[in-house]
Amino acid sequence: YNIGTNEIVLSEKEIDELVDEWKPEPLVPALTEFEREALDKAVMIDGPNGTKVRLASGTNNKPVLNFASYNFLGFLDSPELGKHAVESLRKYGVGSCGPPGFYGTLDVHMELEKQIAAFIGHSSAILYSQAFTTTLSVIPCFSKRSDIIVADEGVNFAVQKAIYLSRSKVYWYKHNDMADLERILKDVNKQLVGRRGKNALPRKFIVTEGLFQNTGDITPLVDLVELKHRYKYRIILDESYSFGVLGKRGAGLTDHFNIDPHEVDLLIGALCYAVGASGGFCCADKDLVEHQRLSGLGYCFSASMPGILTIAAADAIQALEVDPDNYLGTMRENTTLLRTLLNRIPGLQVDGVAESPLIHIRLSPETLVRMKRSGGTWTKTDIDRVLIELSEEALKDGVLLMRATYVDEHERLLPNSSIRICVSSAHTRKEIEKCAHAIKSAVSRITSKKR
C-alpha cells in the first residue's frame, strides 16, 4: 500500500517549536460553577447501605433515614441474606476473575439463570455481571446497522446509549403515546414497501421500559403487544426497575398485565434495584439466549458476577416467591401512604403512577412563579439549586433525599429537575410519615425565602 510521497520533513528546530506550542486538551471538560457546588455538597454513606445509614460528613454520626437508594423490597436490610452470602465466600471467593465463556461460569450462575427464567415464565435466561452493561449488550447484539428501532423518547440513559451503539436507524415516539407510536410504525412499514436488495427485510424492534426511571410511569404493554402483532415488530423491554416491583408475584410488567412473557421477545432486567444484589439478565427464547453467549459483548468480555452476589440474588428471588404478599404488600402500602401524604403538601408536584415506588417530586410551576419575586425566569440551574437546598433541609430532619441527576447534553429528552424518592418495604409507617413531614417542612422553609 503506497501512502504517497507527500511526507513533510521537519528539522529538529521545527519539531521543538511545534512541541512547545502544543497544548493538550483535557480528557474531560472543566466543571462548571454549579457542578462544583453540587460536588462539594454531595453526600457519602459511611458503612453498609440500607433504610438507615450513617454519613461520612456531618458533625454527628447519627443514622438517617435513606430514601435515596434503590432498595424496593428491603433486601439490603436482610440479615439472613447477608449471612448466607458471607458464608459462600469460603466456597466461591470474592470473584471469578474471568468471563463466563472462559472459566468464569459457576454452578450458582447456571442455577440462577434457570431460577430467573422460571420466575419470569420465559424459555431461558442469561446473566450479565452489571445491570448497565446488560442493556448495552443486548440491544446491539440483535439490532445492527441496517435494522430499525422505534423507541420511546423517555427511556433511561442506558437504553439510549445501547440504541446509539447499535447504529440502527432510529425513530423516536412521544413518551408513552401509543397513537404516535402507531403513526411511526405505519410510516416505517410504508417506506419498506417495494424495497429490494440486501436490506429489503430489516429486523424491526420496539424498545421501551417497563417502569420508567425518569418519570415513574408504566408502559401500556397490552397496547404495545397489539401493535407488535399488527405491524410485525419485535419488542425489547427494559424491566430493570419493574422486575421485583410490579405484578402479583413481582415478576414485572408481564405479570402486572397478566400477559404471556413470550410476547416480549427480549426482556431485560436488573438484580440491583429490587433484589439487592448486582448484575442483570435477559430472558428470551433459547436460541436468542445462546446467541448472546457468543455475541453479547458484556457477557463475552466481562468477568462474571461474583458468587456471593449470585447467591444473594437467588436467595432474594426465592424469598419473594415464597412470600410475595409480605414484600410486595408492604412496599405498596408504603408507596400509597407516602404518595397520599406528599400530595397534601402545598406547592409540591408528585409524578409517576400510583403503583410506582419510584417517586419524582418537584416544586409546582405556580410555586416557582411565586418564589421568583425578583422577576425573570427560572433556569434549570436555578431549579437544581433549590432542589439541592430542599434536600439539605430534609437532611437536617434526618431524611436523606437526592436530586435526580443526568448527563444533560447526552439525554434524548432531558427530564425536568426533580428529587427522586425510593420507597422500600423495609421502611416502617413512622419512617414514611417522618419522610413526608421532613419534605413538608423543607418545602415550607425554602419557598418562604426571597429569590
Side-chain angles (χ1 to χ4, degrees), residues 382-409:
D382 292 335
I383 298 174
D384 285 337
R385 281 196 173 98
V386 171
L387 293 179
I388 291 176
E389 186 180 347
L390 193 155
S391 300
E392 291 175 332
E393 291 294 329
L395 189 57
K396 293 177 182 178
D397 292 331
V399 175
L400 177 61
L401 303 174
M402 294 300 292
R403 176 179 63 93
T405 57
Y406 308 95
V407 186
D408 292 7
E409 61 271 20

Side-chain angles (χ1 to χ4, degrees), residues 225-242:
V225 170
E226 181 185 346
L227 293 175
K228 161 198 168 176
H229 289 296
R230 186 184 306 171
Y231 297 101
K232 311 303 180 187
Y233 277 71
R234 298 179 176 93
I235 294 178
I236 301 179
L237 180 65
D238 182 1
E239 293 230 54
S240 295
Y241 297 90
S242 52

Side-chain angles (χ1 to χ4, degrees), residues 65-272:
L65 292 179
N66 184 5
F67 283 85
S69 300
Y70 295 108
N71 182 26
F72 297 133
L73 298 180
F75 286 120
L76 290 179
D77 298 88
S78 173
E80 294 82 9
L81 266 63
K83 181 180 179 181
H84 189 201
V86 170
E87 290 172 353
S88 68
L89 282 172
R90 297 184 180 276
K91 181 177 181 180
Y92 296 104
V94 294
S96 63
C97 301
F102 190 23
Y103 56 83
T105 297
L106 304 172
D107 56 346
V108 289
H109 291 145
M110 296 184 287
E111 292 167 5
L112 181 57
E113 287 179 346
K114 294 178 182 177
Q115 182 183 10
I116 290 174
F119 181 64
I120 295 290
H122 223 303
S123 305
S124 189
I126 181 173
L127 276 180
Y128 289 84
S129 55
Q130 290 183 330
F132 193 89
T133 55
T134 303
T135 310
L136 292 180
S137 300
V138 173
I139 294 178
C141 182
F142 293 96
S143 188
K144 305 297 183 182
R145 186 187 296 271
S146 59
D147 298 324
I148 292 172
I149 289 177
V150 182
D152 189 304
E153 64 180 2
V155 293
N156 63 53
F157 187 69
V159 178
Q160 293 176 48
K161 293 296 105 179
I163 292 172
Y164 171 78
L165 291 174
S166 73
R167 301 175 296 175
S168 303
K169 176 66 175 176
V170 184
Y171 300 86
W172 300 93
Y173 66 91
K174 296 176 183 177
H175 175 55
N176 255 0
D177 189 333
M178 294 297 103
D180 191 51
L181 171 59
E182 184 173 15
R183 176 188 64 80
I184 293 175
L185 298 182
K186 285 181 180 179
D187 290 344
V188 171
N189 282 0
K190 285 180 181 179
Q191 294 173 23
L192 296 177
V193 173
R195 182 188 285 191
R196 298 181 181 276
K198 181 179 178 182
N199 300 323
L201 293 173
R203 285 166 290 204
K204 301 180 297 181
F205 299 94
I206 300 172
V207 179
T208 187
E209 280 186 85
L211 174 60
F212 287 87
Q213 178 191 19
N214 295 342
T215 60
D217 295 331
I218 293 176
T219 290
L221 188 59
V222 176
D223 298 333
L224 205 67
V225 170
E226 181 185 346
L227 293 175
K228 161 198 168 176
H229 289 296
R230 186 184 306 171
Y231 297 101
K232 311 303 180 187
Y233 277 71
R234 298 179 176 93
I235 294 178
I236 301 179
L237 180 65
D238 182 1
E239 293 230 54
S240 295
Y241 297 90
S242 52
F243 175 72
V245 171
L246 298 179
K248 294 180 180 179
R249 301 181 298 109
L253 200 63
T254 55
D255 185 24
H256 179 74
F257 286 108
N258 195 27
I259 291 177
D260 184 357
H262 291 87
E263 294 285 3
V264 178
D265 301 274
L266 293 163
L267 192 155
I268 300 168
L271 299 171
C272 53

Side-chain angles (χ1 to χ4, degrees), residues 13-24:
K13 181 180 179 181
E14 289 173 325
I15 293 174
D16 290 340
E17 289 176 350
L18 289 173
V19 170
D20 291 338
E21 294 173 359
W22 180 68
K23 294 181 179 179

